[in-house]
Amino acid sequence: MTKVLIFGHKNPDTDTICSAIAYAELKNALGIDAEPVRLGTISGETQYALNHFNVEAPRLVETVSNEVEEVILVDHNERQQSVGDIDKVRVIEVIDHHRIANFETSHPLYYRAEPVGCTATILNKMYKEKGVEIRKEIAGLMLSAIISDSLLLKSPTCTDEDVAAAKELAEIAGVNLESYGLEMLKAGADLSDKTIQELISLDAKEFQMGNYKVEIAQVNAVDTNDILVRQAELEVALSSVVSEKGLDLFVFVVTDILNNDSVALAIGSVAHAVEQAYDVQLVDNKALLKGVVSRKLQVVPLLTEVLNKL
């Protein structure tokens, strides 16, 4: 049996990395030769989880068609978010919790997309369905993924299924959900050593919204001013990316993990779409987005709706 590579999106977050590891373990338990890999740098938050549960990070790959013929995608489906040579391999499975866009295959595949807060929540069910016990370390990583994607179960994307899964996994992992979760989020919010380029690419995704090409990056912070004090440098970097990639809009979202609000810094020819989407006014290219913490649920859909009408 030939090997299958499992990976999430570029600029990987905790769900992408941990779900790739967890699903590869499940596949191997079922007799399938699967290896988790990653398409970018490990974040501080993800590294905290990996260190805590003593699990090695997946190896970094630039391409996959030189290694395998078949791949499995987790935590994404949009091709611009995936590996560069995705068209040269066969996607045999997708496990995801995002919108479906810019995705088609030439062969039938197993596609599982559920409206939950985290890919790991789906994987928790799949382990049960297959009758495979979740090891302590893997449970810890899956828990970390849910904590990350749900901002410790406070995000509007968080469902009852995510809460139930998090409690189950915390018990298996042998950690206190609240205390471990807060420490992990704080580790991810410490961005003091990051360069401007790292800040805008840590968790950035490209989207096609109507006729417009949009990139949205998001970082978490204990104090948004720690990031926005570097606004002048950020604007130069964002403008450079807009020019290089031919973007119509780059939205850099800084989320306050304690108050559950965000500040959006918008650069591009259709930056006014942010004003329309949130009924705010951009002052000095930025605006406070009250109660906004989720890119998936509160940013992408609203901007897509506005840009589809422009």
Side-chain angles (χ1 to χ4, degrees):
M1 183 179 294
T2 58
K3 184 168 74 171
V4 176
L5 294 182
I6 301 179
F7 51 87
H9 54 76
K10 296 174 183 174
N11 305 315
D13 57 12
T14 301
D15 187 23
T16 270
I17 296 297
C18 294
S19 287
I21 294 172
Y23 198 34
E25 170 132 334
L26 176 58
K27 283 295 184 183
N28 284 312
L30 297 173
I32 297 168
D33 185 9
E35 180 192 1
V37 293
R38 59 185 169 94
L39 306 183
T41 304
I42 298 288
S43 71
E45 177 189 275
T46 307
Q47 193 61 59
Y48 178 91
L50 292 170
N51 290 346
H52 189 94
F53 294 104
N54 196 29
V55 178
E56 286 189 17
R59 65 185 174 91
L60 176 67
V61 298
E62 300 292 338
T63 57
V64 293
S65 61
N66 55 311
E67 295 189 43
V68 296
E69 296 180 354
E70 298 180 333
V71 300
I72 295 173
L73 309 185
V74 294
D75 198 34
H76 78 298
N77 67 81
E78 299 188 49
R79 289 183 176 271
Q80 70 271 20
Q81 298 175 8
S82 200
V83 71
D85 61 345
I86 190 69
D87 291 327
K88 296 180 180 179
V89 292
R90 179 177 175 182
V91 178
I92 60 171
E93 292 187 35
V94 176
I95 313 296
D96 194 16
H97 68 125
H98 296 94
R99 71 174 193 172
I100 301 171
N102 303 323
F103 180 83
E104 63 179 28
T105 63
S106 58
H107 296 80
L109 76 162
Y110 179 79
Y111 197 110
R112 186 157 180 169
E114 298 188 20
V116 293
C118 182
T119 307
T121 298
I122 305 172
L123 294 180
N124 185 52
K125 289 194 283 187
M126 294 178 73
Y127 266 87
K128 294 178 182 178
E129 292 164 3
K130 297 297 184 181
V132 176
E133 185 176 344
I134 304 175
R135 289 194 298 116
K136 176 181 179 179
E137 294 80 6
I138 297 300
L141 294 186
M142 292 168 68
L143 169 66
S144 301
I146 296 173
I147 290 170
S148 175
D149 269 12
S150 70
L151 276 183
L152 197 48
L153 310 181
K154 294 177 182 176
S155 169
T157 61
C158 186
T159 67
D160 290 342
E161 289 186 50
D162 298 296
V163 174
K167 290 179 179 178
E168 289 176 14
L169 293 165
E171 185 172 345
I172 297 171
V175 297
N176 179 277
L177 175 58
E178 291 292 330
S179 60
Y180 169 75
L182 187 57
E183 289 305 310
M184 189 193 81
L185 290 178
K186 285 182 177 179
D190 181 6
L191 303 172
S192 57
D193 64 337
K194 301 300 181 186
T195 66
I196 292 295
Q197 194 58 45
E198 287 172 333
L199 283 176
I200 66 172
S201 62
L202 275 173
D203 187 6
K205 292 182 178 179
E206 289 185 31
F207 301 89
Q208 190 67 38
M209 299 182 178
N211 296 319
Y212 301 97
K213 189 176 179 182
V214 180
E215 185 159 340
I216 303 171
Q218 184 175 24
V219 295
N220 293 335
V222 174
D223 184 347
T224 58
N225 289 324
D226 290 343
I227 307 297
L228 294 172
V229 70
R230 307 170 73 180
Q231 182 176 341
E233 296 174 83
L234 285 166
E235 289 187 6
V236 170
L238 295 179
S239 296
S240 178
V241 175
V242 167
S243 177
E244 290 172 6
K245 294 186 176 181
L247 300 177
D248 298 289
L249 175 64
F250 196 132
V251 183
F252 181 66
V253 181
V254 185
T255 298
D256 185 327
I257 63 172
L258 299 182
N259 295 319
N260 294 326
D261 295 324
S262 293
V263 176
L265 179 61
I267 300 293
S269 61
V270 292
H272 58 278
V274 175
E275 296 181 320
Q276 294 181 41
Y278 297 99
D279 193 24
V280 296
Q281 183 176 356
L282 289 171
V283 178
D284 196 19
N285 297 321
K286 67 179 185 289
L288 174 65
L289 308 183
K290 293 290 293 182
V292 173
V293 296
S294 169
R295 174 173 50 196
K296 181 183 73 171
L297 189 65
Q298 297 172 297
V299 180
V300 173
L302 271 67
L303 281 179
T304 300
E305 183 178 353
V306 170
L307 290 173
N308 278 337
K309 298 176 181 177
L310 293 183

